[in-house]
Amino acid sequence: MRTYLVIADDTPEAGVALRFAARRAAKTGGAVKVLALAEPAEFVAFGGVQATMEDEARKHAEGLVR
């Protein structure tokens, strides 16, 4: 089985790449894996703030895929 890796970011090319990979995977019986990277935050003294920042980055990445 083929796996297509797509990098998700805020560029228009990322949407085109995701669409292409999804169509190829559907035709070949493959799978699509999406990679979205988030910049590490500076040290935050309170863990709750850090967790919120990470959650917002994750939600943003999921929104890109949708």
Side-chain angles (χ1 to χ4, degrees), residues 7-8 35-39 61:
I7 308 300
L35 174 66
L37 302 176
E39 298 231 7

Side-chain angles (χ1 to χ4, degrees), residues 17-39:
L18 182 59
R19 198 166 32 258
F20 174 80
R23 294 182 72 175
R24 289 291 296 163
K27 288 182 180 180
T28 62
V32 176
K33 301 287 182 174
V34 178
L35 174 66
L37 302 176
E39 298 231 7

Side-chain angles (χ1 to χ4, degrees), residues 22-61:
R23 294 182 72 175
R24 289 291 296 163
K27 288 182 180 180
T28 62
V32 176
K33 301 287 182 174
V34 178
L35 174 66
L37 302 176
E39 298 231 7
E42 297 295 323
F43 176 74
V44 178
F46 301 100
V49 173
Q50 180 72 28
T52 300
M53 292 170 64
E54 290 172 358
D55 187 52
E56 287 175 356
R58 182 184 52 77
K59 286 180 182 178
H60 178 71

